[in-house]
Amino acid sequence: MTDMLDLMKSDPKLKVVLKEFPVLGPGSVEAAQVAVAVRMQDPGGKKYLDFHQKLLGSKGQADKARAMAAAREAGLDMARLEKDVASPEVRATLEENFKLAEAMGMNGTPSYVIGKPVVIGAVGLDNLREKIGIARCGKATC
């Protein structure tokens, strides 16, 4: 997440779309459900990004308790969040994300789509910048 934040700050033309793709077990699924519900509450994305920074910056594996604590810290409406977490919309969003990931050959996180290629794994900031350059202008730096 830190690499993406650095890229977004240094490259205002970069478009980043974050999709929840929980692959680390039941706790990961619970945290993703909370994340989707957070996004439903925050169409602008500012609290959603803050939520992710708080969740991913906490120690231990993500689960519902950690995700709810991060949501509370980010200033979300907790009563609405509890209701939304159990909604069909959250379930449908995660199912759609899994289908998309499968269709693109993604099997882990983080995964990135940069232009047409899919990059799987924590490849580092320099590698991401290089792949963005190649997608934009055909070479590592434009």
Side-chain angles (χ1 to χ4, degrees), residues 89-128:
E89 185 176 345
V90 166
R91 192 170 32 262
T93 298
L94 290 174
E95 286 173 10
E96 182 181 310
N97 290 354
F98 272 101
K99 287 177 185 174
L100 179 62
E102 183 179 355
M104 299 182 88
M106 295 176 178
N107 57 9
T109 62
S111 294
Y112 308 92
V113 178
I114 304 173
K116 291 190 184 217
V118 174
V119 179
I120 299 173
V123 297
L125 186 57
D126 290 338
N127 199 324
L128 289 173

PDB file of all heavy atoms in Angstrom, residues 89-128:
ATOM      1  N   GLU A  89     -25.034  -6.712  -1.430  1.00  0.00           N
ATOM      2  CA  GLU A  89     -24.137  -5.917  -2.281  1.00  0.00           C
ATOM      3  C   GLU A  89     -22.672  -6.212  -1.965  1.00  0.00           C
ATOM      4  O   GLU A  89     -21.844  -6.340  -2.876  1.00  0.00           O
ATOM      5  CB  GLU A  89     -24.422  -4.428  -2.103  1.00  0.00           C
ATOM      6  CG  GLU A  89     -23.603  -3.555  -3.038  1.00  0.00           C
ATOM      7  CD  GLU A  89     -23.954  -2.076  -2.921  1.00  0.00           C
ATOM      8  OE1 GLU A  89     -24.994  -1.730  -2.342  1.00  0.00           O
ATOM      9  OE2 GLU A  89     -23.154  -1.274  -3.431  1.00  0.00           O
ATOM     10  N   VAL A  90     -22.345  -6.350  -0.693  1.00  0.00           N
ATOM     11  CA  VAL A  90     -20.967  -6.672  -0.299  1.00  0.00           C
ATOM     12  C   VAL A  90     -20.588  -8.049  -0.825  1.00  0.00           C
ATOM     13  O   VAL A  90     -19.533  -8.239  -1.422  1.00  0.00           O
ATOM     14  CB  VAL A  90     -20.789  -6.576   1.237  1.00  0.00           C
ATOM     15  CG1 VAL A  90     -19.494  -7.227   1.687  1.00  0.00           C
ATOM     16  CG2 VAL A  90     -20.842  -5.119   1.683  1.00  0.00           C
ATOM     17  N   ARG A  91     -21.460  -9.008  -0.622  1.00  0.00           N
ATOM     18  CA  ARG A  91     -21.209 -10.372  -1.091  1.00  0.00           C
ATOM     19  C   ARG A  91     -21.040 -10.403  -2.611  1.00  0.00           C
ATOM     20  O   ARG A  91     -20.102 -11.011  -3.132  1.00  0.00           O
ATOM     21  CB  ARG A  91     -22.366 -11.280  -0.648  1.00  0.00           C
ATOM     22  CG  ARG A  91     -22.114 -12.737  -0.822  1.00  0.00           C
ATOM     23  CD  ARG A  91     -23.168 -13.641  -0.158  1.00  0.00           C
ATOM     24  NE  ARG A  91     -24.538 -13.140  -0.095  1.00  0.00           N
ATOM     25  CZ  ARG A  91     -25.096 -12.541   0.974  1.00  0.00           C
ATOM     26  NH1 ARG A  91     -24.398 -12.358   2.070  1.00  0.00           N
ATOM     27  NH2 ARG A  91     -26.348 -12.124   0.941  1.00  0.00           N
ATOM     28  N   ALA A  92     -21.906  -9.704  -3.328  1.00  0.00           N
ATOM     29  CA  ALA A  92     -21.837  -9.672  -4.794  1.00  0.00           C
ATOM     30  C   ALA A  92     -20.548  -8.998  -5.274  1.00  0.00           C
ATOM     31  O   ALA A  92     -19.936  -9.443  -6.251  1.00  0.00           O
ATOM     32  CB  ALA A  92     -23.057  -8.961  -5.363  1.00  0.00           C
ATOM     33  N   THR A  93     -20.128  -7.945  -4.597  1.00  0.00           N
ATOM     34  CA  THR A  93     -18.897  -7.244  -4.978  1.00  0.00           C
ATOM     35  C   THR A  93     -17.697  -8.170  -4.854  1.00  0.00           C
ATOM     36  O   THR A  93     -16.852  -8.233  -5.758  1.00  0.00           O
ATOM     37  CB  THR A  93     -18.696  -5.981  -4.115  1.00  0.00           C
ATOM     38  OG1 THR A  93     -19.788  -5.093  -4.348  1.00  0.00           O
ATOM     39  CG2 THR A  93     -17.388  -5.286  -4.448  1.00  0.00           C
ATOM     40  N   LEU A  94     -17.608  -8.900  -3.750  1.00  0.00           N
ATOM     41  CA  LEU A  94     -16.473  -9.813  -3.560  1.00  0.00           C
ATOM     42  C   LEU A  94     -16.505 -10.960  -4.564  1.00  0.00           C
ATOM     43  O   LEU A  94     -15.459 -11.356  -5.097  1.00  0.00           O
ATOM     44  CB  LEU A  94     -16.428 -10.326  -2.126  1.00  0.00           C
ATOM     45  CG  LEU A  94     -16.048  -9.264  -1.083  1.00  0.00           C
ATOM     46  CD1 LEU A  94     -16.167  -9.828   0.322  1.00  0.00           C
ATOM     47  CD2 LEU A  94     -14.656  -8.720  -1.343  1.00  0.00           C
ATOM     48  N   GLU A  95     -17.687 -11.473  -4.860  1.00  0.00           N
ATOM     49  CA  GLU A  95     -17.804 -12.533  -5.870  1.00  0.00           C
ATOM     50  C   GLU A  95     -17.338 -12.023  -7.232  1.00  0.00           C
ATOM     51  O   GLU A  95     -16.626 -12.717  -7.961  1.00  0.00           O
ATOM     52  CB  GLU A  95     -19.250 -13.035  -5.949  1.00  0.00           C
ATOM     53  CG  GLU A  95     -19.650 -13.892  -4.775  1.00  0.00           C
ATOM     54  CD  GLU A  95     -21.138 -14.256  -4.772  1.00  0.00           C
ATOM     55  OE1 GLU A  95     -21.842 -13.999  -5.777  1.00  0.00           O
ATOM     56  OE2 GLU A  95     -21.591 -14.806  -3.745  1.00  0.00           O
ATOM     57  N   GLU A  96     -17.744 -10.820  -7.568  1.00  0.00           N
ATOM     58  CA  GLU A  96     -17.330 -10.212  -8.834  1.00  0.00           C
ATOM     59  C   GLU A  96     -15.812 -10.032  -8.880  1.00  0.00           C
ATOM     60  O   GLU A  96     -15.175 -10.290  -9.902  1.00  0.00           O
ATOM     61  CB  GLU A  96     -18.029  -8.867  -9.001  1.00  0.00           C
ATOM     62  CG  GLU A  96     -17.719  -8.158 -10.300  1.00  0.00           C
ATOM     63  CD  GLU A  96     -18.438  -6.817 -10.379  1.00  0.00           C
ATOM     64  OE1 GLU A  96     -19.657  -6.775 -10.142  1.00  0.00           O
ATOM     65  OE2 GLU A  96     -17.759  -5.813 -10.668  1.00  0.00           O
ATOM     66  N   ASN A  97     -15.229  -9.596  -7.778  1.00  0.00           N
ATOM     67  CA  ASN A  97     -13.779  -9.413  -7.717  1.00  0.00           C
ATOM     68  C   ASN A  97     -13.039 -10.733  -7.916  1.00  0.00           C
ATOM     69  O   ASN A  97     -12.010 -10.778  -8.601  1.00  0.00           O
ATOM     70  CB  ASN A  97     -13.368  -8.772  -6.390  1.00  0.00           C
ATOM     71  CG  ASN A  97     -13.791  -7.327  -6.277  1.00  0.00           C
ATOM     72  OD1 ASN A  97     -14.310  -6.734  -7.221  1.00  0.00           O
ATOM     73  ND2 ASN A  97     -13.597  -6.754  -5.102  1.00  0.00           N
ATOM     74  N   PHE A  98     -13.545 -11.817  -7.312  1.00  0.00           N
ATOM     75  CA  PHE A  98     -12.912 -13.128  -7.495  1.00  0.00           C
ATOM     76  C   PHE A  98     -12.996 -13.585  -8.945  1.00  0.00           C
ATOM     77  O   PHE A  98     -12.028 -14.117  -9.492  1.00  0.00           O
ATOM     78  CB  PHE A  98     -13.545 -14.176  -6.568  1.00  0.00           C
ATOM     79  CG  PHE A  98     -12.896 -14.244  -5.223  1.00  0.00           C
ATOM     80  CD1 PHE A  98     -13.489 -13.621  -4.134  1.00  0.00           C
ATOM     81  CD2 PHE A  98     -11.697 -14.907  -5.037  1.00  0.00           C
ATOM     82  CE1 PHE A  98     -12.884 -13.672  -2.889  1.00  0.00           C
ATOM     83  CE2 PHE A  98     -11.083 -14.962  -3.795  1.00  0.00           C
ATOM     84  CZ  PHE A  98     -11.681 -14.340  -2.713  1.00  0.00           C
ATOM     85  N   LYS A  99     -14.138 -13.365  -9.582  1.00  0.00           N
ATOM     86  CA  LYS A  99     -14.287 -13.744 -10.992  1.00  0.00           C
ATOM     87  C   LYS A  99     -13.331 -12.947 -11.867  1.00  0.00           C
ATOM     88  O   LYS A  99     -12.697 -13.493 -12.777  1.00  0.00           O
ATOM     89  CB  LYS A  99     -15.726 -13.534 -11.459  1.00  0.00           C
ATOM     90  CG  LYS A  99     -16.690 -14.547 -10.904  1.00  0.00           C
ATOM     91  CD  LYS A  99     -18.126 -14.259 -11.332  1.00  0.00           C
ATOM     92  CE  LYS A  99     -19.090 -15.204 -10.664  1.00  0.00           C
ATOM     93  NZ  LYS A  99     -20.484 -14.873 -10.934  1.00  0.00           N
ATOM     94  N   LEU A 100     -13.208 -11.669 -11.602  1.00  0.00           N
ATOM     95  CA  LEU A 100     -12.295 -10.812 -12.356  1.00  0.00           C
ATOM     96  C   LEU A 100     -10.854 -11.272 -12.164  1.00  0.00           C
ATOM     97  O   LEU A 100     -10.095 -11.402 -13.130  1.00  0.00           O
ATOM     98  CB  LEU A 100     -12.460  -9.358 -11.919  1.00  0.00           C
ATOM     99  CG  LEU A 100     -11.571  -8.327 -12.593  1.00  0.00           C
ATOM    100  CD1 LEU A 100     -11.836  -8.267 -14.090  1.00  0.00           C
ATOM    101  CD2 LEU A 100     -11.797  -6.956 -11.958  1.00  0.00           C
ATOM    102  N   ALA A 101     -10.472 -11.536 -10.924  1.00  0.00           N
ATOM    103  CA  ALA A 101      -9.107 -11.989 -10.640  1.00  0.00           C
ATOM    104  C   ALA A 101      -8.815 -13.309 -11.346  1.00  0.00           C
ATOM    105  O   ALA A 101      -7.741 -13.485 -11.938  1.00  0.00           O
ATOM    106  CB  ALA A 101      -8.905 -12.138  -9.139  1.00  0.00           C
ATOM    107  N   GLU A 102      -9.762 -14.226 -11.306  1.00  0.00           N
ATOM    108  CA  GLU A 102      -9.580 -15.515 -11.964  1.00  0.00           C
ATOM    109  C   GLU A 102      -9.424 -15.335 -13.474  1.00  0.00           C
ATOM    110  O   GLU A 102      -8.542 -15.922 -14.093  1.00  0.00           O
ATOM    111  CB  GLU A 102     -10.762 -16.430 -11.663  1.00  0.00           C
ATOM    112  CG  GLU A 102     -10.611 -17.813 -12.262  1.00  0.00           C
ATOM    113  CD  GLU A 102     -11.786 -18.728 -11.934  1.00  0.00           C
ATOM    114  OE1 GLU A 102     -12.681 -18.334 -11.172  1.00  0.00           O
ATOM    115  OE2 GLU A 102     -11.790 -19.841 -12.483  1.00  0.00           O
ATOM    116  N   ALA A 103     -10.245 -14.494 -14.060  1.00  0.00           N
ATOM    117  CA  ALA A 103     -10.181 -14.254 -15.504  1.00  0.00           C
ATOM    118  C   ALA A 103      -8.845 -13.637 -15.917  1.00  0.00           C
ATOM    119  O   ALA A 103      -8.366 -13.861 -17.029  1.00  0.00           O
ATOM    120  CB  ALA A 103     -11.334 -13.352 -15.937  1.00  0.00           C
ATOM    121  N   MET A 104      -8.233 -12.871 -15.006  1.00  0.00           N
ATOM    122  CA  MET A 104      -6.964 -12.209 -15.315  1.00  0.00           C
ATOM    123  C   MET A 104      -5.754 -13.031 -14.877  1.00  0.00           C
ATOM    124  O   MET A 104      -4.622 -12.599 -15.048  1.00  0.00           O
ATOM    125  CB  MET A 104      -6.937 -10.826 -14.674  1.00  0.00           C
ATOM    126  CG  MET A 104      -8.046  -9.933 -15.202  1.00  0.00           C
ATOM    127  SD  MET A 104      -7.984  -8.302 -14.507  1.00  0.00           S
ATOM    128  CE  MET A 104      -6.886  -7.532 -15.684  1.00  0.00           C
ATOM    129  N   GLY A 105      -5.991 -14.186 -14.286  1.00  0.00           N
ATOM    130  CA  GLY A 105      -4.897 -15.047 -13.858  1.00  0.00           C
ATOM    131  C   GLY A 105      -4.239 -14.624 -12.551  1.00  0.00           C
ATOM    132  O   GLY A 105      -3.123 -15.028 -12.260  1.00  0.00           O
ATOM    133  N   MET A 106      -4.943 -13.834 -11.767  1.00  0.00           N
ATOM    134  CA  MET A 106      -4.392 -13.393 -10.476  1.00  0.00           C
ATOM    135  C   MET A 106      -4.649 -14.473  -9.436  1.00  0.00           C
ATOM    136  O   MET A 106      -5.744 -14.990  -9.327  1.00  0.00           O
ATOM    137  CB  MET A 106      -5.049 -12.096 -10.034  1.00  0.00           C
ATOM    138  CG  MET A 106      -4.752 -10.932 -10.924  1.00  0.00           C
ATOM    139  SD  MET A 106      -5.688  -9.491 -10.348  1.00  0.00           S
ATOM    140  CE  MET A 106      -5.120  -8.274 -11.505  1.00  0.00           C
ATOM    141  N   ASN A 107      -3.611 -14.783  -8.660  1.00  0.00           N
ATOM    142  CA  ASN A 107      -3.765 -15.803  -7.633  1.00  0.00           C
ATOM    143  C   ASN A 107      -3.222 -15.360  -6.279  1.00  0.00           C
ATOM    144  O   ASN A 107      -3.072 -16.162  -5.376  1.00  0.00           O
ATOM    145  CB  ASN A 107      -3.094 -17.104  -8.071  1.00  0.00           C
ATOM    146  CG  ASN A 107      -1.626 -16.904  -8.386  1.00  0.00           C
ATOM    147  OD1 ASN A 107      -1.055 -15.853  -8.124  1.00  0.00           O
ATOM    148  ND2 ASN A 107      -1.007 -17.926  -8.954  1.00  0.00           N
ATOM    149  N   GLY A 108      -2.890 -14.104  -6.156  1.00  0.00           N
ATOM    150  CA  GLY A 108      -2.369 -13.599  -4.894  1.00  0.00           C
ATOM    151  C   GLY A 108      -2.411 -12.093  -4.850  1.00  0.00           C
ATOM    152  O   GLY A 108      -2.755 -11.438  -5.828  1.00  0.00           O
ATOM    153  N   THR A 109      -2.058 -11.571  -3.683  1.00  0.00           N
ATOM    154  CA  THR A 109      -2.018 -10.132  -3.517  1.00  0.00           C
ATOM    155  C   THR A 109      -0.660  -9.728  -2.978  1.00  0.00           C
ATOM    156  O   THR A 109      -0.018 -10.516  -2.282  1.00  0.00           O
ATOM    157  CB  THR A 109      -3.107  -9.649  -2.536  1.00  0.00           C
ATOM    158  OG1 THR A 109      -2.878 -10.208  -1.255  1.00  0.00           O
ATOM    159  CG2 THR A 109      -4.480 -10.026  -3.027  1.00  0.00           C
ATOM    160  N   PRO A 110      -0.203  -8.551  -3.296  1.00  0.00           N
ATOM    161  CA  PRO A 110      -0.866  -7.627  -4.206  1.00  0.00           C
ATOM    162  C   PRO A 110      -0.708  -8.080  -5.647  1.00  0.00           C
ATOM    163  O   PRO A 110       0.226  -8.808  -5.984  1.00  0.00           O
ATOM    164  CB  PRO A 110      -0.128  -6.303  -3.968  1.00  0.00           C
ATOM    165  CG  PRO A 110       1.250  -6.720  -3.562  1.00  0.00           C
ATOM    166  CD  PRO A 110       1.068  -7.999  -2.788  1.00  0.00           C
ATOM    167  N   SER A 111      -1.614  -7.663  -6.478  1.00  0.00           N
ATOM    168  CA  SER A 111      -1.538  -7.862  -7.921  1.00  0.00           C
ATOM    169  C   SER A 111      -1.853  -6.533  -8.577  1.00  0.00           C
ATOM    170  O   SER A 111      -2.654  -5.756  -8.066  1.00  0.00           O
ATOM    171  CB  SER A 111      -2.549  -8.906  -8.399  1.00  0.00           C
ATOM    172  OG  SER A 111      -2.237 -10.176  -7.893  1.00  0.00           O
ATOM    173  N   TYR A 112      -1.217  -6.286  -9.699  1.00  0.00           N
ATOM    174  CA  TYR A 112      -1.382  -5.012 -10.395  1.00  0.00           C
ATOM    175  C   TYR A 112      -1.665  -5.281 -11.861  1.00  0.00           C
ATOM    176  O   TYR A 112      -1.076  -6.180 -12.451  1.00  0.00           O
ATOM    177  CB  TYR A 112      -0.103  -4.170 -10.312  1.00  0.00           C
ATOM    178  CG  TYR A 112       0.427  -3.981  -8.911  1.00  0.00           C
ATOM    179  CD1 TYR A 112       1.363  -4.852  -8.378  1.00  0.00           C
ATOM    180  CD2 TYR A 112      -0.010  -2.920  -8.132  1.00  0.00           C
ATOM    181  CE1 TYR A 112       1.851  -4.679  -7.089  1.00  0.00           C
ATOM    182  CE2 TYR A 112       0.473  -2.739  -6.848  1.00  0.00           C
ATOM    183  CZ  TYR A 112       1.411  -3.624  -6.333  1.00  0.00           C
ATOM    184  OH  TYR A 112       1.885  -3.443  -5.069  1.00  0.00           O
ATOM    185  N   VAL A 113      -2.540  -4.477 -12.439  1.00  0.00           N
ATOM    186  CA  VAL A 113      -2.730  -4.463 -13.886  1.00  0.00           C
ATOM    187  C   VAL A 113      -2.172  -3.123 -14.334  1.00  0.00           C
ATOM    188  O   VAL A 113      -2.675  -2.069 -13.957  1.00  0.00           O
ATOM    189  CB  VAL A 113      -4.219  -4.592 -14.271  1.00  0.00           C
ATOM    190  CG1 VAL A 113      -4.378  -4.523 -15.779  1.00  0.00           C
ATOM    191  CG2 VAL A 113      -4.805  -5.868 -13.699  1.00  0.00           C
ATOM    192  N   ILE A 114      -1.116  -3.188 -15.109  1.00  0.00           N
ATOM    193  CA  ILE A 114      -0.450  -1.972 -15.568  1.00  0.00           C
ATOM    194  C   ILE A 114      -0.434  -2.031 -17.088  1.00  0.00           C
ATOM    195  O   ILE A 114       0.395  -2.710 -17.684  1.00  0.00           O
ATOM    196  CB  ILE A 114       0.979  -1.861 -14.989  1.00  0.00           C
ATOM    197  CG1 ILE A 114       0.925  -1.932 -13.465  1.00  0.00           C
ATOM    198  CG2 ILE A 114       1.635  -0.579 -15.467  1.00  0.00           C
ATOM    199  CD1 ILE A 114       2.267  -2.013 -12.787  1.00  0.00           C
ATOM    200  N   GLY A 115      -1.386  -1.339 -17.700  1.00  0.00           N
ATOM    201  CA  GLY A 115      -1.580  -1.507 -19.135  1.00  0.00           C
ATOM    202  C   GLY A 115      -2.268  -2.845 -19.333  1.00  0.00           C
ATOM    203  O   GLY A 115      -3.293  -3.123 -18.750  1.00  0.00           O
ATOM    204  N   LYS A 116      -1.661  -3.701 -20.124  1.00  0.00           N
ATOM    205  CA  LYS A 116      -2.232  -5.030 -20.339  1.00  0.00           C
ATOM    206  C   LYS A 116      -1.636  -6.097 -19.430  1.00  0.00           C
ATOM    207  O   LYS A 116      -2.327  -7.011 -19.033  1.00  0.00           O
ATOM    208  CB  LYS A 116      -2.087  -5.431 -21.799  1.00  0.00           C
ATOM    209  CG  LYS A 116      -2.960  -4.597 -22.698  1.00  0.00           C
ATOM    210  CD  LYS A 116      -3.010  -5.128 -24.089  1.00  0.00           C
ATOM    211  CE  LYS A 116      -3.822  -4.152 -24.915  1.00  0.00           C
ATOM    212  NZ  LYS A 116      -4.644  -4.756 -25.885  1.00  0.00           N
ATOM    213  N   PRO A 117      -0.357  -6.028 -19.101  1.00  0.00           N
ATOM    214  CA  PRO A 117       0.187  -7.117 -18.285  1.00  0.00           C
ATOM    215  C   PRO A 117      -0.299  -7.084 -16.840  1.00  0.00           C
ATOM    216  O   PRO A 117      -0.604  -6.036 -16.290  1.00  0.00           O
ATOM    217  CB  PRO A 117       1.696  -6.895 -18.350  1.00  0.00           C
ATOM    218  CG  PRO A 117       1.896  -5.479 -18.718  1.00  0.00           C
ATOM    219  CD  PRO A 117       0.672  -5.063 -19.487  1.00  0.00           C
ATOM    220  N   VAL A 118      -0.372  -8.264 -16.251  1.00  0.00           N
ATOM    221  CA  VAL A 118      -0.693  -8.421 -14.843  1.00  0.00           C
ATOM    222  C   VAL A 118       0.612  -8.696 -14.112  1.00  0.00           C
ATOM    223  O   VAL A 118       1.403  -9.538 -14.528  1.00  0.00           O
ATOM    224  CB  VAL A 118      -1.685  -9.591 -14.638  1.00  0.00           C
ATOM    225  CG1 VAL A 118      -1.911  -9.856 -13.153  1.00  0.00           C
ATOM    226  CG2 VAL A 118      -3.004  -9.290 -15.329  1.00  0.00           C
ATOM    227  N   VAL A 119       0.840  -7.961 -13.035  1.00  0.00           N
ATOM    228  CA  VAL A 119       2.039  -8.122 -12.227  1.00  0.00           C
ATOM    229  C   VAL A 119       1.590  -8.628 -10.861  1.00  0.00           C
ATOM    230  O   VAL A 119       0.791  -7.971 -10.195  1.00  0.00           O
ATOM    231  CB  VAL A 119       2.792  -6.782 -12.074  1.00  0.00           C
ATOM    232  CG1 VAL A 119       4.020  -6.945 -11.206  1.00  0.00           C
ATOM    233  CG2 VAL A 119       3.149  -6.211 -13.448  1.00  0.00           C
ATOM    234  N   ILE A 120       2.083  -9.792 -10.462  1.00  0.00           N
ATOM    235  CA  ILE A 120       1.660 -10.393  -9.202  1.00  0.00           C
ATOM    236  C   ILE A 120       2.809 -10.342  -8.207  1.00  0.00           C
ATOM    237  O   ILE A 120       3.937 -10.699  -8.529  1.00  0.00           O
ATOM    238  CB  ILE A 120       1.181 -11.840  -9.419  1.00  0.00           C
ATOM    239  CG1 ILE A 120      -0.026 -11.843 -10.362  1.00  0.00           C
ATOM    240  CG2 ILE A 120       0.836 -12.507  -8.095  1.00  0.00           C
ATOM    241  CD1 ILE A 120      -0.499 -13.195 -10.796  1.00  0.00           C
ATOM    242  N   GLY A 121       2.501  -9.867  -7.023  1.00  0.00           N
ATOM    243  CA  GLY A 121       3.481  -9.857  -5.946  1.00  0.00           C
ATOM    244  C   GLY A 121       3.947  -8.456  -5.596  1.00  0.00           C
ATOM    245  O   GLY A 121       3.725  -7.498  -6.325  1.00  0.00           O
ATOM    246  N   ALA A 122       4.603  -8.363  -4.457  1.00  0.00           N
ATOM    247  CA  ALA A 122       5.151  -7.096  -3.987  1.00  0.00           C
ATOM    248  C   ALA A 122       6.470  -6.866  -4.711  1.00  0.00           C
ATOM    249  O   ALA A 122       7.533  -7.255  -4.244  1.00  0.00           O
ATOM    250  CB  ALA A 122       5.347  -7.136  -2.476  1.00  0.00           C
ATOM    251  N   VAL A 123       6.407  -6.237  -5.865  1.00  0.00           N
ATOM    252  CA  VAL A 123       7.570  -6.108  -6.748  1.00  0.00           C
ATOM    253  C   VAL A 123       8.412  -4.870  -6.451  1.00  0.00           C
ATOM    254  O   VAL A 123       9.482  -4.717  -7.029  1.00  0.00           O
ATOM    255  CB  VAL A 123       7.147  -6.125  -8.234  1.00  0.00           C
ATOM    256  CG1 VAL A 123       6.495  -7.458  -8.589  1.00  0.00           C
ATOM    257  CG2 VAL A 123       6.220  -4.966  -8.556  1.00  0.00           C
ATOM    258  N   GLY A 124       7.937  -3.991  -5.608  1.00  0.00           N
ATOM    259  CA  GLY A 124       8.701  -2.806  -5.239  1.00  0.00           C
ATOM    260  C   GLY A 124       8.368  -1.596  -6.089  1.00  0.00           C
ATOM    261  O   GLY A 124       7.906  -1.700  -7.227  1.00  0.00           O
ATOM    262  N   LEU A 125       8.648  -0.442  -5.511  1.00  0.00           N
ATOM    263  CA  LEU A 125       8.308   0.840  -6.130  1.00  0.00           C
ATOM    264  C   LEU A 125       9.020   1.064  -7.457  1.00  0.00           C
ATOM    265  O   LEU A 125       8.406   1.480  -8.441  1.00  0.00           O
ATOM    266  CB  LEU A 125       8.616   1.969  -5.144  1.00  0.00           C
ATOM    267  CG  LEU A 125       8.214   3.372  -5.544  1.00  0.00           C
ATOM    268  CD1 LEU A 125       6.730   3.452  -5.840  1.00  0.00           C
ATOM    269  CD2 LEU A 125       8.578   4.351  -4.431  1.00  0.00           C
ATOM    270  N   ASP A 126      10.316   0.791  -7.528  1.00  0.00           N
ATOM    271  CA  ASP A 126      11.058   1.012  -8.770  1.00  0.00           C
ATOM    272  C   ASP A 126      10.527   0.143  -9.904  1.00  0.00           C
ATOM    273  O   ASP A 126      10.381   0.606 -11.042  1.00  0.00           O
ATOM    274  CB  ASP A 126      12.552   0.748  -8.560  1.00  0.00           C
ATOM    275  CG  ASP A 126      13.210   1.792  -7.684  1.00  0.00           C
ATOM    276  OD1 ASP A 126      12.661   2.913  -7.569  1.00  0.00           O
ATOM    277  OD2 ASP A 126      14.273   1.501  -7.101  1.00  0.00           O
ATOM    278  N   ASN A 127      10.208  -1.099  -9.600  1.00  0.00           N
ATOM    279  CA  ASN A 127       9.664  -2.004 -10.609  1.00  0.00           C
ATOM    280  C   ASN A 127       8.302  -1.522 -11.091  1.00  0.00           C
ATOM    281  O   ASN A 127       8.001  -1.564 -12.291  1.00  0.00           O
ATOM    282  CB  ASN A 127       9.570  -3.417 -10.030  1.00  0.00           C
ATOM    283  CG  ASN A 127       9.473  -4.481 -11.092  1.00  0.00           C
ATOM    284  OD1 ASN A 127       8.860  -4.285 -12.131  1.00  0.00           O
ATOM    285  ND2 ASN A 127      10.064  -5.629 -10.816  1.00  0.00           N
ATOM    286  N   LEU A 128       7.470  -1.041 -10.172  1.00  0.00           N
ATOM    287  CA  LEU A 128       6.160  -0.510 -10.565  1.00  0.00           C
ATOM    288  C   LEU A 128       6.317   0.706 -11.472  1.00  0.00           C
ATOM    289  O   LEU A 128       5.636   0.823 -12.495  1.00  0.00           O
ATOM    290  CB  LEU A 128       5.336  -0.144  -9.330  1.00  0.00           C
ATOM    291  CG  LEU A 128       4.813  -1.304  -8.496  1.00  0.00           C
ATOM    292  CD1 LEU A 128       4.162  -0.799  -7.221  1.00  0.00           C
ATOM    293  CD2 LEU A 128       3.841  -2.157  -9.301  1.00  0.00           C
TER     294      LEU A 128
END
